[in-house]
Amino acid sequence: MENRRPLIAGNWKMFKTSPEAVETARQLVKLVAMTTDIDVMIAPPFTALAQVSDVVRGSCVSLGAQNLFWEAQGAFTGAISPAMLVSVGCKYVIIGHSERRQYFNETDETVNKRIKAAFDNDLIPVMCVGESEKERESKNTFSVLDKQLKKGLEDFSADNLKRLVIAYEPVWAIGTGKTATSEQAQEVHRFLRSVLEKSFGNTLAKSIRILYGGSVKPNNIAELMAMPDVDGALVGGASLDPETFSKIVHFKE
Ligand code: PEP
């Protein structure tokens, strides 16, 4: 790995009421208190963000949201603006998760608008890309990822994208217990970096963190992190339990 600081991020999806989220965050903060060389982020549901923000303040755990809407404000019932996330202490925002694409009709075009809105509000977007099982089997993995990346990042310049984080999450590995092998992850991460290099130049491509996501657990994180282009993980199921997630954060030990 170049000089990229690892990021271990937890996506809590639609799990945990506010009291449950607060308790989980409290335990996690204690368990990872000594972490200095890795960035740690958790993305609770919107309803718990403000309270979890109070718990993680001053700790090594940063706060992220699971989505945002690109408009600043207005008659958009049910939507959450970037400024609302900033106001409760979010630093990161997950964008284009495959569950959003699959169940809520999000597209590369809306991913692009969301990323722009995140940057405009100083939030770090964690842009998710990934192929389905059918796309992998029909050998379309690279073309699907190429399109997701290029369309999602259309009209940005290298200068805009300095803080971007990408999460490669093969859809067939999310919540299924099937993990891509570390070699499969590395192959795709290298490919994504090469697409970034062609579009935005070598300096940016080398500096962008690319996380792997899909059934990451304490027993597979170390071998994934040993790959030169894997800079961290986006963890779903295994981030819900603080002990388990802290073991992933402490993958080096
Ligand atoms: C995710 O939600 O981004 C994810 C990767 O889930 P899981 O770790 O449960 O596969």
Side-chain angles (χ1 to χ4, degrees):
M1 199 158 72
E2 305 280 324
N3 251 344
R4 297 182 295 268
R5 192 176 155 88
L7 169 62
I8 304 290
N11 171 18
W12 290 2
K13 313 193 190 208
M14 198 177 73
F15 290 101
K16 298 186 191 291
T17 60
S18 288
E20 289 165 350
V22 163
E23 187 46 35
T24 306
R26 270 202 191 115
Q27 291 180 29
L28 182 67
V29 164
K30 277 193 211 136
L31 287 164
V32 300
M34 307 310 274
T35 311
T36 51
D37 51 352
I38 289 178
D39 289 338
V40 182
M41 178 271 264
I42 49 174
F46 289 130
T47 46
L49 284 173
Q51 280 181 278
V52 170
S53 182
D54 290 340
V55 176
V56 301
R57 187 169 302 122
S59 80
C60 68
V61 179
S62 297
L63 193 65
Q66 297 176 21
N67 196 13
L68 56 65
F69 188 54
W70 55 83
E71 294 288 349
Q73 59 181 5
F76 303 106
T77 302
I80 304 285
S81 76
M84 290 172 187
L85 300 181
V86 172
S87 75
V88 291
C90 284
K91 178 172 174 187
Y92 294 87
V93 57
I94 298 170
I95 290 178
H97 191 281
S98 62
E99 288 152 15
R100 299 293 318 170
R101 294 178 190 253
Q102 193 178 346
Y103 305 125
F104 301 95
N105 301 323
E106 292 193 12
T107 62
D108 295 328
E109 288 72 25
T110 61
V111 165
N112 182 273
K113 290 186 185 184
R114 288 182 158 90
I115 292 175
K116 182 164 187 320
F119 280 128
D120 287 348
N121 288 274
D122 262 341
L123 287 159
I124 302 175
V126 178
M127 174 196 191
C128 301
V129 295
E131 82 286 5
S132 67
E133 187 150 38
K134 215 162 133 204
E135 288 161 345
R136 178 162 278 265
E137 277 167 5
S138 57
K139 308 224 174 317
N140 285 321
T141 298
F142 289 154
S143 61
V144 167
L145 292 170
D146 185 73
K147 178 174 163 285
Q148 288 179 354
L149 204 54
K150 285 190 180 147
K151 288 233 163 252
L153 299 179
E154 205 164 80
D155 295 332
F156 284 104
S157 70
D159 220 35
N160 301 140
L161 296 177
K162 275 188 196 135
R163 299 173 81 207
L164 178 72
V165 175
I166 290 173
Y168 167 55
E169 298 210 310
V171 180
W172 48 271
I174 297 181
T176 58
K178 291 185 199 170
T179 323
T181 63
S182 38
E183 289 76 20
Q184 280 173 323
Q186 170 57 24
E187 184 186 31
V188 170
H189 284 221
R190 174 145 297 166
F191 169 76
L192 293 172
R193 218 178 282 290
S194 74
V195 176
L196 290 170
E197 183 174 352
K198 275 183 217 129
S199 305
F200 303 105
N202 184 257
T203 310
L204 185 87
K206 270 199 193 147
S207 71
I208 284 190
R209 293 183 286 185
I210 307 181
L211 316 183
Y212 169 77
S215 300
V216 172
K217 304 277 182 285
N219 65 6
N220 57 23
I221 182 70
E223 56 177 299
L224 287 160
M225 292 302 289
M227 296 292 121
D229 287 289
V230 176
D231 307 316
L234 181 54
V235 185
S239 71
L240 296 171
D241 173 58
E243 291 265 355
T244 310
F245 189 57
S246 71
K247 285 187 189 146
I248 295 175
V249 171
H250 295 142
F251 70 92
K252 284 187 192 156
E253 289 156 24

